[in-house]
Amino acid sequence: MNIPPAFLAELQSLLPPSAFSLQPAVLESYARDESSQPAQTPLAVVWPETAEQVAAVLGLCNRHRVPVTARGGGSSLEGNAVPSPDGIVLSLERMNKILEVLPQDFQCRLQPGVIYDDLNRRLARDGLFFAPGPSSGDVATIGGMIGNNAGGLNALRYGVTRDHVLRLQVALADGSLLWFGTRAMKTSSGFDLVRLMVGSEGLLGVVTEIVLRLHGLPERKTAMARFETLEAAAQAVFEIMSSGIVPGALELIDENSIAHINRYKGWDWPETPTLIFEFHGAPSGIAEEVEMAREICAGLGASYFEVAETPARREQLWAGRKEITNAEKALYPDHIMLKGDIAVPLSHYAAAVQKAQALGEQYGLAVSIFGHAGDGNIHWHTLVPPSDAAALERGEQAAADLIRYALSVGGTATAEHGIGLAKRAFLLEEHGAAVEVMKRIKQALDPNGILNPGKMFFDERG
């Protein structure tokens, strides 16, 4: 479909020529995200720079029934940012200003296109940080994190994105521009529309300004433990969390992931299941927690336990976790990477890790297992040659089996990546009749179904 002439004429009247493009090469560069979902070329890409421009574009699209997919850094893993058919991409990457840091309130105001790592570099000057800690923090935008309710390395102690958002300016489908929430640290006034927006994947509105709650930068220690088996490492996660320790981060990495990191970085880490911890707080408390963790790991047969003694070593340990996906993309550039993301109640975590490992063996797949272990989160990657249709089918079936296992023990189909296109089939299985309530909310805020249609729900428009 070509862009409707009347729509194009109005778009040209709303935005300067530099704020939109119809060039085929540009359109193709926005046709997919980081998921394995098929590309979909948009009719146009627009780059608004103000909230008023966002609202005007949405109002125009609403009048002409043109779908809109809002996009941040394009790092979505479930097809959330793949353009909807016959629609446009509304890229927020130029709305990338940190508007105000309020150290005495532990807050900041910013636009949605600010990149996570850039924000924390600025906040560090005031002894603050925005906590969730996504592994893709070098590209993930705050608006995208809000869209997917992103978690990350620090979510175990500090909570996910939803727990840090106080106030939002939102452009609705009809072009209206509203504020939700308050700068107060708590409120019981009215419905919590901020939390409704966080995790809505661009289906209910487009965030144009954000007020975040921040934390003070803590003292921290990073440690690593190696185990003989993945089951022992997973059991250590449960026992550490049962001990009363609340780590700043607690990450599981399997032996296949370590092997990929070794090849990518030129390291020689022992290729054995590994936990990486971070402990936050006062120095005396940190020292006590490190020793408790050491004892628990030793009791489960850990072959090695190390506390990073220098900032450089600390950064290396975390690179071993954060760069798994980059390693796999670099080592297997032509392969299709199927990315799974589930979470289970912590009492089922060790069993879920065993299930993930068993499914790889059952379906004859090369899998890597890692994730934010302390909150029951498992990431599960399968690398499939593009010409091997049978392996791709087995990989998709294994991922579905793992999701259904998670649901069977009270877990979720997606801990932090959203539903998007890839997991629509599991929304009803997880939520049952409550999905109809979600659809009614969508219909109330977006009656013409222009906001990211086809995502989350199977309905094409809403």
Side-chain angles (χ1 to χ4, degrees):
M1 176 179 173
N2 294 320
I3 192 165
F7 174 83
L8 177 59
E10 286 194 61
L11 183 65
Q12 290 170 324
S13 71
L14 288 176
L15 299 173
S18 61
F20 67 91
S21 179
L22 310 178
Q23 295 298 316
V26 173
L27 303 185
E28 288 303 316
S29 70
Y30 286 82
R32 65 181 316 135
D33 55 18
E34 283 295 311
S35 72
S36 58
Q37 295 299 303
Q40 175 70 53
T41 304
L43 298 180
V45 177
V46 302
W47 298 278
E49 296 186 13
T50 67
E52 290 73 21
Q53 287 180 345
V54 172
V57 169
L58 291 186
L60 169 63
C61 291
N62 195 49
R63 292 194 301 276
H64 288 268
R65 307 297 194 266
V66 173
V68 181
T69 297
R71 180 184 173 106
S75 58
S76 301
L77 295 176
E78 302 294 354
N80 325 64
V82 173
S84 295
D86 300 324
I88 70 165
V89 167
L90 192 155
S91 171
L92 298 162
E93 61 194 294
R94 294 183 186 174
M95 295 179 66
N96 60 358
K97 296 181 178 64
I98 300 170
L99 302 171
E100 188 177 17
V101 178
L102 302 159
Q104 292 181 316
D105 292 325
F106 291 84
Q107 295 175 12
C108 66
R109 290 176 49 239
L110 68 159
Q111 293 180 312
V114 174
I115 292 172
Y116 178 85
D117 284 353
D118 292 343
L119 174 62
N120 273 335
R121 276 190 285 270
R122 166 61 187 87
L123 295 176
R125 299 192 335 230
D126 290 293
L128 301 170
F129 80 125
F130 174 44
S135 297
S136 58
D138 57 336
V139 294
T141 64
I142 306 305
M145 291 178 65
I146 287 171
N148 290 334
N149 187 31
L153 305 175
N154 299 320
L156 171 61
R157 186 179 183 99
Y158 299 96
V160 295
T161 298
R162 179 176 283 130
D163 301 308
H164 298 83
V165 182
L166 294 171
R167 198 161 189 248
L168 293 173
Q169 186 186 52
V170 179
L172 298 182
D174 63 4
S176 57
L177 199 58
L178 304 175
W179 278 99
F180 298 158
T182 173
R183 285 187 53 224
M185 297 300 279
K186 63 180 180 180
T187 176
S188 58
S189 176
F191 293 166
D192 194 338
L193 299 178
V194 170
R195 292 179 77 87
L196 176 65
M197 291 300 303
V198 181
S200 62
E201 301 185 31
L203 272 71
L204 303 180
V206 176
V207 171
T208 55
E209 189 175 317
I210 304 151
V211 177
L212 291 177
R213 176 188 180 188
L214 308 173
H215 291 272
L217 276 170
E219 293 286 334
R220 59 184 70 190
K221 276 285 187 183
T222 301
M224 176 173 66
R226 298 188 180 117
F227 294 82
E228 297 300 321
T229 68
L230 196 59
E231 293 76 19
Q235 185 61 31
V237 171
F238 176 76
E239 295 198 15
I240 287 168
M241 296 302 298
S242 299
S243 73
I245 299 173
V246 183
L250 175 49
E251 299 289 313
L252 173 75
I253 312 174
D254 78 341
E255 56 269 37
N256 291 337
S257 301
I258 297 289
H260 293 152
I261 285 291
N262 278 343
R263 289 172 57 197
Y264 177 61
K265 305 288 282 187
W267 294 350
D268 59 354
W269 284 12
E271 293 173 4
T272 186
T274 299
L275 293 180
I276 298 180
F277 318 82
E278 194 160 87
F279 303 93
H280 294 181
S284 60
I286 290 175
E288 183 178 347
E289 291 187 347
V290 167
E291 288 310 307
M292 289 175 65
R294 188 195 303 269
E295 290 174 11
I296 290 169
C297 293
L300 288 163
S303 58
Y304 179 84
F305 191 98
E306 174 194 355
V307 179
E309 296 298 343
T310 65
R313 181 56 173 166
R314 176 182 179 273
E315 291 302 315
Q316 185 186 40
L317 294 186
W318 280 121
R321 164 61 183 90
K322 292 181 179 180
E323 296 203 50
I324 293 170
T325 299
N326 290 338
E328 292 175 342
K329 287 165 64 176
L331 295 171
Y332 302 94
D334 298 325
H335 281 53
I336 297 170
M337 188 186 298
L338 299 177
K339 304 182 183 81
D341 163 51
I342 62 163
V344 296
L346 202 57
S347 61
H348 293 277
Y349 188 71
V353 167
Q354 289 178 282
K355 180 69 172 180
Q357 194 173 44
L359 284 169
E361 295 171 359
Q362 176 185 336
Y363 286 99
L365 301 166
V367 303
S368 50
I369 301 167
F370 57 97
H372 314 310
D375 51 17
N377 189 188
I378 296 172
H379 298 287
W380 192 72
H381 286 185
T382 306
L383 293 159
V384 178
S387 59
D388 194 339
L392 180 60
E393 184 176 350
R394 295 197 308 275
E396 291 173 343
Q397 185 59 57
D401 288 355
L402 185 60
I403 289 170
R404 291 194 167 100
Y405 171 80
L407 296 179
S408 75
V409 298
T412 180
T414 177
E416 55 187 19
H417 296 163
I419 294 293
L421 292 169
K423 290 183 175 175
R424 293 177 298 176
F426 303 103
L427 189 70
L428 187 62
E429 291 185 39
E430 183 168 343
H431 296 284
V435 172
E436 290 304 314
V437 178
M438 299 180 197
K439 289 182 178 181
R440 277 184 248 154
I441 294 169
K442 165 73 168 169
Q443 175 66 24
L445 293 178
D446 181 21
N448 293 325
I450 67 158
L451 295 177
N452 219 9
K455 314 300 166 47
M456 196 178 298
F457 312 121
F458 274 107
D459 309 40
E460 275 302 303
R461 301 302 292 266

